[in-house]
Amino acid sequence: MGTASWTDPTLIKSRRFYPKGCSTADARLRYYASKFPLVEVNSSYYALPTVENSKVWVERTPAGFTFNVKAFRLFTGHQTSVDALPPPVRAGLAGKSTIHYQDVPSKLLDLLWQFFIEALEPLRDAGKLGLVHFQFAPWLTYSPASRQQVAECVQRLSGYTLSAELRHQTWFNDVHREYSLRFERDHGLVHTVVDAPQGFANTVGAHWEVTRPDLALVRLHGRNAATWNLKSNSASDRFNYDYTDSELAVLATSIRELATRSRRVHVIFNNNYEDQGQRNAATLRRLLRED
């Protein structure tokens, strides 16, 4: 049980989670890790993580703490600013401001994947790496080309445990749902159970399925339909939602059932506006313990 990020600006500004005086990166991660056993690294979506950061995270967290790391946006089909790339890659893309995965020469792609894997190694060596989470672009439809793109990510990270969040409705409509789940099982992918606003092309329903016997994943985005596709400088504005205790109780029932089919269940609150995720995660943990 944990949240997506521990450093969101609105969380820090709210002053409701971190105690007075907890104002450094070191202190915040240590405090967070004293309250939750799991966190999702979100910053790795916007820029490749570094070996140095991973080593610091290992040092600041206790034994048994787990980091799920979100995959870099270029790998998941999103348009990416060249400025977000490491200098050696950027130098090979002179004249471009933004790129997509298919625009990058193969040698530079190999280098990008190498940087990403090297940054994961300190976490894995310390036994603190959980999932590498791929939240694929919402326009990635169910198609042979899309399945090949997902399969390439699996191949690139052979030996790691990957989770897939497939967001276009075509993956889980009545025609393709069973094929998509079989595809995830065949490729060793952890299926992502999503709780999110419904009625949009870029969201799917919550399919409480297990595709690996060792691990299941639930990501809770909140249910704020009014802000779901909000254009904002702050990503957390989109996920401004405070789950009620009754909503969390219903989710707890589903999570308990999921746990009967998987040895472990990771639950990540992505409603990362102010301290909503941390409060909701604490409540859900209490509800699960009361069972």
Side-chain angles (χ1 to χ4, degrees):
M1 183 83 62
T3 65
S5 174
W6 66 95
T7 59
D8 188 87
T10 63
L11 170 64
I12 295 170
K13 188 176 180 180
S14 74
R15 298 183 179 179
R16 287 194 291 269
F17 177 66
Y18 292 113
K20 187 176 181 180
C22 190
S23 57
T24 66
D26 185 337
R28 287 176 185 139
L29 180 53
R30 291 184 188 278
Y31 180 78
Y32 176 95
S34 74
K35 298 297 181 182
F36 299 103
L38 169 68
V39 77
E40 180 183 279
V41 178
N42 250 337
S43 59
S44 50
Y45 168 79
Y46 298 98
L48 285 170
T50 65
V51 172
E52 292 73 20
N53 271 347
S54 293
K55 288 180 177 178
V56 165
W57 294 338
V58 167
E59 293 167 0
R60 292 173 179 172
T61 52
F65 189 83
T66 299
F67 291 90
N68 286 354
V69 179
K70 198 170 181 182
F72 183 46
R73 60 180 297 139
L74 186 72
F75 300 154
T76 53
H78 293 85
Q79 182 174 308
T80 303
S81 170
V82 171
D83 290 341
L85 304 177
V89 179
R90 199 184 312 154
L93 296 168
K96 296 182 182 292
S97 58
T98 60
I99 52 166
H100 286 90
Y101 190 84
Q102 62 270 22
D103 301 328
V104 183
S106 59
K107 288 185 178 180
L108 294 181
L109 280 179
D110 291 344
L111 189 57
L112 281 169
W113 282 106
Q114 179 184 330
F115 282 135
F116 187 59
I117 290 169
E118 287 175 352
L120 296 175
E121 283 300 288
L123 296 173
R124 185 161 80 158
D125 290 346
K128 293 185 175 183
L129 179 64
L131 292 164
V132 183
H133 183 67
F134 283 76
Q135 188 180 38
F136 288 99
W139 49 84
L140 197 75
T141 60
Y142 182 92
S143 69
S146 295
R147 295 195 296 278
Q148 179 55 44
Q149 182 174 343
V150 176
E152 181 179 347
C153 295
V154 175
Q155 179 185 8
R156 292 278 190 173
L157 288 177
S158 176
Y160 291 82
T161 304
L162 276 58
S163 50
E165 188 170 340
L166 302 164
R167 295 191 284 165
H168 195 276
Q169 291 181 351
T170 51
W171 290 90
F172 295 103
N173 60 23
D174 291 342
V175 176
H176 297 137
R177 179 173 176 270
E178 292 306 319
Y179 292 106
S180 296
L181 291 170
R182 184 188 306 164
F183 173 81
E184 289 178 322
R185 291 188 181 99
D186 289 346
H187 287 80
L189 289 161
V190 173
H191 170 71
T192 304
V193 180
V194 174
D195 187 81
Q198 296 301 293
F200 298 94
N202 59 346
T203 187
V204 297
H207 299 281
W208 293 86
E209 299 287 346
V210 171
T211 53
R212 285 181 58 132
D214 57 332
L215 187 55
L217 173 65
V218 180
R219 294 186 85 234
L220 306 169
H221 297 292
R223 300 173 181 178
N224 192 340
T227 61
W228 184 245
N229 286 315
L230 180 71
K231 302 298 182 184
S232 171
N233 291 330
S234 173
S236 61
D237 289 340
R238 292 185 55 219
F239 308 109
N240 182 358
Y241 189 81
D242 198 355
Y243 284 93
T244 66
D245 286 5
S246 59
E247 289 172 331
L248 292 172
V250 172
L251 286 166
T253 299
S254 297
I255 291 167
R256 289 188 199 103
E257 194 282 327
L258 197 70
T260 67
R261 294 180 280 138
S262 178
R263 289 194 291 276
R264 290 176 297 155
V265 179
H266 283 189
V267 180
I268 294 290
F269 279 86
N270 192 43
N271 55 333
N272 54 358
Y273 182 79
E274 296 188 347
D275 66 331
Q276 291 172 343
Q278 285 74 23
R279 285 190 290 102
N280 291 166
T283 300
L284 183 57
R285 286 183 78 186
R286 174 177 57 79
L287 291 169
L288 290 168
R289 285 171 176 167
E290 290 174 354
D291 181 45

